[in-house]
Amino acid sequence: MKLHSARFALPSFRRSLIGAAVMAFCSGHALAVQPFTVKDIRVEGIQRTEAGTVFAYLPVRVGETFSDEKSVAAIKALYATGMFKDVRLEADGDVLVVLVEERPAIATVQFTGTKEFEKDVLVKALKEIGVGEAKIFDKASVDRAEQELKRQYLSHGLYGVKITTTVTPIERNRVNVVFAVDEGDVARIKQINIVGNKAFTDKELREQLALNTGGWFSWYTKADQYSKTKLTGDIEALKSYYLDRGYIEMQVDSTQVSITPDKKDIYLTINITEGEKYKIAGTKFEGEMFGREEELKALNLMREGEIYSGARLTATNKRIQDRLATFGYAFANVNANPEINREKHEVGFTFFIDPGKRVYVRHMNIAGNTTTRDEVIRREFRQFESSWYDSNKIKLSRDRVDRLGYFKDVTIDTPEAQGTTDQVDVNVTVVEKPTGNFLIGGAFSQSEKFTLSASISQANFAGSGNTVGIELNTSHYSRTIAFSQTNPYYTDDGISRSFEVYLRTTEPPALNIGSYKIKQTGGRVSFGVPFSEVDTVFFGIGAERSRIETDITSPIRFKQYVIDNGGPSDGIGSATTNSIPLTAAWQRDSRDSALTPSIGRYQRVNLEADLIGDQKYFRAIYEHQYFRPLFSKVTLALKGEIDYGHGIGKHVYPVFKNFYGGGIGSVRGYLSSSLGAVEPSTNDALGGASRLIGNAELQMPFPGSGNDRSLRWFGFLDGGQVYQEGEKMRISQLRYSAGLGISWISPVGPLKLSYAKPLNAKPTDRLERFQFQMGTGF
């Protein structure tokens, strides 16, 4: 289309005719425009908008007849775009001239004075309501944005916030929008009053509320800052508290929130009506139960004669729904209809069970795995495509994938398949973490200052699920060269195979006065056979050559070992032994995650014995970990370990198989490997043939990390000791410590930092308050 750049002089009556006709049409007067055939269309007044955009909205084209109806439609269409604040139509002969005045565009949106919220978050939020870069400036939208900002600040208890909005025009019909924020002081809850309570004291009820008047940890919890969302949650918490204690008709009548004129103190009042306490009169079951009525009744937690509990009612509903979901009824509905007898203060319930349609799984979809192969994830699934939906198998599938240790997060959702009423898709979404780890360990003490050790390994090699490692430990005290490989699916039915070849050289730490050297060369192979979803039994065999070198400063028992195994009669020299250790182990792992567990148990029993080599010994290790959520964000983690070794027959337990205690992984606050007996002449730690270790942690998200489980802080209590061969394990000899720490699943592996205070250290104990380690979990 040819656009004329020159404006032709026309009789004034023709140029104003269209405008007059439009005004007349819009006001309901009959004033017609003389129709004409449009030969061309010209757009004037645009600065940023392309002419083609205007043409696209016009309801008239070149060659069509222009009339008063089309003129009104054209103006309405252009105004409706929101891009123009003035639109006029003129005729230049047979050329239709469209004159527009554009609304300004927003060049930038800036914030000053914001501390409570991240600026990037605010920019994104305002863009969603029409205030953002490249958006058309609209005063009403900017006013709404300002009010939304105020609302967000008020929800965080900042009632004194002041927001000043400045709009500055710049070149090319654009504007800069600046929100200047004066956040003011945070308004804090001064008093909480509860009115109408008789059965429970104010103190008992206030303990149920997330909001409070402040305490030692208010800087972290911000519980003394009023929030409408928190108040809504507290109202539900109060209702639940009463419902769980029989008050089925309890009501929260109203809440009043008042703020002092200086907007610093808030007074909160909650008015309640308790009602009466009710007991359970009885329960009945109705609906479709597929002949499993007795089975479903056994899931009922409501007992006749007991005080009514809303929590037990909810749990009963869920147990029945979960049970129905295990054989395909994913959307079962269970409603408990109460029958209240106010005279006897009793309530009976009839459970109406509607299983709905039986559902089967259409597709099992995997997303988020950029490195890990689909088959590595899919082989952990226990729910299969084209089979009935089973909620237990779906949860087990998620837990098994998470226990692989390759992912930061594993989530599953089960949306209904589009176009069907009896199918769902199971979508598994993973967030991968780096599995090539540079493992480093170290500590700081006054005696040795800073010590460091390192090694390298690669899990989930090339996304195959196999662990391939070349371990290179350059520590002066423990040098290692080892190659290992683990294939968790050596056979299709889940039998694993692991093998390792190694060369290790161990020397005592610099703190020790006595010196010695242990060189070990060997290899091992083992197979793991799964017997259930959480149980695996392992069998293995190895071969190892051990050489001990001593000098005049070496501990007596090392010299004796040299003598007993064919070395010089004074024990100064070397001795070499060969062993063929046989291993058997049982492992049970029901944790929900291998790296950041919040619930479940891990147990392992490991037996090792050399029956045909030179050593003739056995050693047994039992480890038990227990995880339980105490609150929404707090996890209790317990770990216990008992280790025992002994020589067979007249053979002495090998000193290089000794257990050690102290440091991260055993008893924090004590120098690594320093617990237990010491060499009398040198006070060097010797380790022992048996060991007892116990750890307790309270794990919480790190402040500011939200629900991120990869970064946590914890308080801990440790206890442990190492005992000599044949020595009785005495609880009275345990060493204890307590402290705080941080754990982080970092890009290079799990990291733990801890600061510990020994609680019953003896003068001869070697202490080390600050310790860290990378590459080990709890």
Side-chain angles (χ1 to χ4, degrees):
M1 176 184 295
K2 181 179 180 181
L3 296 180
H4 299 281
S5 58
R7 181 187 296 271
F8 294 96
L10 290 177
S12 60
F13 76 92
R14 184 68 184 276
R15 294 178 63 87
S16 62
L17 185 60
I18 297 175
V22 171
M23 293 298 294
F25 188 88
C26 294
S27 61
H29 297 290
L31 177 60
V33 174
Q34 185 65 36
F36 67 95
T37 302
V38 179
K39 299 297 185 183
D40 202 354
I41 301 174
R42 187 170 69 245
V43 181
E44 296 182 0
I46 57 175
Q47 299 182 52
R48 301 180 319 276
T49 309
E50 295 291 334
T53 302
V54 178
F55 296 149
Y57 286 102
L58 283 175
V60 62
R61 300 289 183 266
V62 173
E64 295 180 354
T65 299
F66 186 78
S67 62
D68 51 359
E69 292 85 356
K70 288 191 175 182
S71 67
V72 173
I75 291 176
K76 286 185 175 180
L78 292 177
Y79 269 120
T81 65
M83 297 185 291
F84 311 108
K85 65 179 180 180
D86 189 28
V87 178
R88 290 182 295 138
L89 300 179
E90 294 181 358
D92 191 352
D94 294 329
V95 177
L96 178 63
V97 182
V98 182
L99 298 103
V100 298
E101 184 179 352
E102 292 179 323
R103 292 183 183 275
I106 299 175
T108 60
V109 177
Q110 300 175 352
F111 300 88
T112 62
T114 55
K115 299 176 182 178
E116 186 71 13
F117 301 99
E118 294 289 339
K119 292 182 179 180
D120 291 343
V121 175
L122 294 177
V123 169
K124 182 179 179 181
L126 295 190
K127 195 167 186 178
E128 293 177 354
I129 60 176
V131 180
E133 292 185 11
K135 296 283 188 179
I136 299 299
F137 173 76
D138 179 55
K139 182 63 166 60
S141 295
V142 172
D143 290 342
R144 287 196 302 271
E146 184 177 315
Q147 294 304 313
E148 175 62 20
L149 282 176
K150 287 183 178 179
R151 190 184 69 81
Q152 291 295 331
Y153 274 100
L154 292 178
S155 69
H156 281 236
L158 292 161
Y159 288 88
V161 65
K162 296 179 181 179
I163 300 176
T164 303
T165 305
T166 304
V167 180
T168 306
I170 60 175
E171 74 281 355
R172 294 178 55 213
N173 196 25
R174 297 179 300 159
V175 296
N176 290 331
V177 180
V178 179
F179 295 96
V181 180
D182 179 5
E183 294 184 339
D185 296 327
V186 176
R188 303 188 183 277
I189 298 174
K190 188 73 173 179
Q191 185 174 328
I192 299 177
N193 298 313
I194 301 176
V195 179
N197 55 307
K198 299 176 182 178
F200 305 103
T201 65
D202 288 359
K203 181 180 179 182
E204 287 176 304
L205 297 181
R206 279 197 288 262
E207 288 177 350
Q208 312 309 313
L209 307 181
L211 296 172
N212 58 49
T213 55
W216 287 102
F217 293 98
S218 295
W219 61 270
Y220 171 54
T221 63
K222 297 184 179 180
D224 59 346
Q225 298 181 20
Y226 171 75
S227 164
K228 186 176 181 180
T229 302
K230 287 183 179 179
L231 178 58
T232 301
D234 283 345
I235 290 174
E236 294 304 316
L238 277 181
K239 289 181 180 179
S240 296
Y241 188 77
Y242 271 93
L243 288 174
D244 289 347
R245 287 154 182 81
Y247 294 87
I248 193 172
E249 296 183 304
M250 180 270 183
Q251 294 291 330
V252 176
D253 300 319
S254 63
T255 58
Q256 289 89 40
V257 180
S258 58
I259 186 169
T260 55
D262 60 4
K263 297 184 179 181
K264 291 184 178 180
D265 295 329
I266 292 177
Y267 292 81
L268 178 62
T269 301
I270 303 175
N271 299 285
I272 66 174
T273 299
E274 292 182 330
E276 300 294 336
K277 182 186 287 189
Y278 284 80
K279 293 184 178 181
I280 303 297
T283 57
K284 296 185 293 184
F285 285 74
E286 294 184 5
E288 180 58 68
M289 289 174 274
F290 311 105
R292 298 174 179 264
E293 184 173 356
E294 294 304 318
E295 179 182 343
L296 297 180
K297 283 183 177 180
L299 302 174
N300 181 20
L301 299 175
M302 312 287 285
R303 301 288 182 264
E304 185 175 350
E306 292 184 350
I307 300 298
Y308 165 77
S309 168
R312 288 200 294 270
L313 177 63
T314 301
T316 298
N317 285 345
K318 187 175 186 305
R319 293 178 74 180
I320 295 172
Q321 288 174 333
D322 290 345
R323 183 54 184 154
L324 291 171
T326 60
F327 42 90
Y329 296 95
F331 306 112
N333 189 23
V334 180
N335 290 318
N337 186 25
E339 299 174 6
I340 299 176
N341 186 329
R342 291 182 173 83
E343 293 181 359
K344 295 183 177 180
H345 296 158
E346 292 181 343
V347 57
F349 288 92
T350 300
F351 290 91
F352 292 95
I353 299 174
D354 178 14
K357 289 188 176 182
R358 199 174 191 187
V359 175
Y360 65 91
V361 174
R362 184 179 67 171
H363 297 304
M364 297 281 293
N365 303 313
I366 303 172
N369 54 317
T370 57
T371 301
T372 307
R373 302 172 190 173
D374 275 13
E375 65 182 37
V376 173
I377 301 173
R378 197 171 292 277
R379 67 193 182 190
E380 302 300 329
F381 292 169
R382 294 302 179 262
Q383 172 70 61
F384 300 111
E385 295 177 340
S386 301
S387 63
W388 297 119
Y389 177 100
D390 188 326
S391 58
N392 286 346
K393 290 182 178 179
I394 290 175
K395 181 182 182 302
L396 180 60
S397 299
R398 193 218 75 85
D399 290 348
R400 288 183 64 90
V401 172
D402 204 348
R403 284 198 293 265
L404 290 174
Y406 307 152
F407 310 109
K408 293 180 181 177
D409 190 32
V410 180
T411 57
I412 286 185
D413 64 297
T414 56
E416 293 185 59
Q418 293 184 355
T420 67
T421 59
D422 62 349
Q423 298 180 43
V424 297
D425 291 330
V426 177
N427 299 326
V428 181
T429 304
V430 300
V431 179
E432 290 192 311
K433 72 176 187 70
T435 55
N437 294 330
F438 172 63
L439 310 181
I440 184 171
F444 181 83
S445 65
Q446 292 182 344
S447 57
E448 292 189 85
K449 301 304 180 184
F450 188 76
T451 60
L452 183 70
S453 62
S455 63
I456 297 174
S457 65
Q458 173 69 59
N460 194 22
F461 182 75
S464 65
N466 296 341
T467 298
V468 177
I470 299 177
E471 183 182 354
L472 302 172
N473 194 324
T474 60
S475 168
H476 177 71
Y477 313 117
S478 180
R479 295 185 295 276
T480 301
I481 299 176
F483 176 79
S484 61
Q485 193 260 2
T486 298
N487 183 349
Y489 278 81
Y490 181 65
T491 65
D492 291 339
D493 52 0
I495 295 179
S496 65
R497 185 200 64 184
S498 299
F499 71 85
E500 178 186 26
V501 292
Y502 55 85
L503 171 62
R504 296 190 176 98
T505 301
T506 304
E507 298 183 44
L511 193 65
N512 283 26
I513 298 174
S515 66
Y516 56 86
K517 181 180 292 186
I518 302 173
K519 293 183 178 180
Q520 293 177 301
T521 305
R524 63 176 181 81
V525 62
S526 63
F527 296 88
V529 182
F531 280 82
S532 73
E533 295 295 347
V534 296
D535 295 284
T536 305
V537 174
F538 298 88
F539 305 94
I541 187 171
E544 185 176 78
R545 175 182 289 266
S546 302
R547 178 182 175 87
I548 293 185
E549 299 176 1
T550 59
D551 59 29
I552 193 172
T553 66
S554 298
I556 294 175
R557 63 186 59 197
F558 282 84
K559 293 179 181 178
Q560 187 62 46
Y561 182 87
V562 170
I563 295 172
D564 293 341
N565 289 277
S569 58
D570 59 359
I572 301 175
S574 65
T576 301
T577 59
N578 298 303
S579 61
I580 303 177
L582 303 175
T583 58
W586 165 77
Q587 175 181 293
R588 170 172 290 177
D589 191 353
S590 61
R591 298 172 296 174
D592 61 342
S593 173
L595 290 177
T596 58
S598 61
I599 191 170
R601 297 173 184 265
Y602 173 85
Q603 298 177 75
R604 186 179 178 92
V605 177
N606 191 82
L607 301 175
E608 177 184 321
D610 180 11
L611 304 177
I612 56 179
D614 300 332
Q615 302 301 300
K616 304 295 191 301
Y617 71 92
F618 75 90
R619 69 201 309 244
I621 299 172
Y622 174 68
E623 179 183 357
H624 191 151
Q625 298 181 22
Y626 173 76
F627 300 89
R628 179 180 179 181
L630 296 183
F631 310 105
S632 59
K633 296 182 179 180
V634 180
T635 298
L636 171 66
L638 303 176
K639 175 186 174 183
E641 183 174 338
I642 300 177
D643 308 321
Y644 183 81
H646 204 282
I648 297 176
K650 297 182 180 181
H651 291 268
V652 178
Y653 185 75
V655 293
F656 52 81
K657 292 290 183 179
N658 275 355
F659 299 100
Y660 292 85
I664 287 184
S666 57
V667 187
R668 287 161 282 201
Y670 295 85
L671 184 68
S672 179
S673 303
S674 66
L675 294 181
V678 297
E679 176 70 15
S681 60
T682 62
N683 204 36
D684 293 340
L686 298 173
S690 57
R691 179 174 64 175
L692 186 62
I693 300 292
N695 312 104
E697 288 187 2
L698 280 178
Q699 303 171 345
M700 292 154 280
F702 198 76
S705 65
N707 292 320
D708 183 6
R709 293 169 59 190
S710 66
L711 179 60
R712 296 177 292 177
W713 69 284
F714 56 87
F716 64 85
L717 174 66
D718 293 343
Q721 187 57 279
V722 177
Y723 305 89
Q724 297 303 298
E725 184 176 12
E727 182 182 0
K728 186 177 181 180
M729 294 186 181
R730 299 182 183 276
I731 302 297
S732 61
Q733 296 179 359
L734 294 181
R735 296 292 188 269
Y736 298 98
S737 67
L740 298 173
I742 299 173
S743 65
W744 176 37
I745 310 300
S746 73
V748 295
L751 165 68
K752 269 198 173 183
L753 303 173
S754 67
Y755 182 82
K757 177 179 176 57
L759 300 179
N760 63 337
K762 304 300 181 183
T764 56
D765 289 338
R766 299 169 180 176
L767 309 183
E768 190 175 68
R769 297 180 184 273
F770 174 75
Q771 295 169 324
F772 82 89
Q773 190 166 27
M774 295 184 74
T776 183
F778 178 79

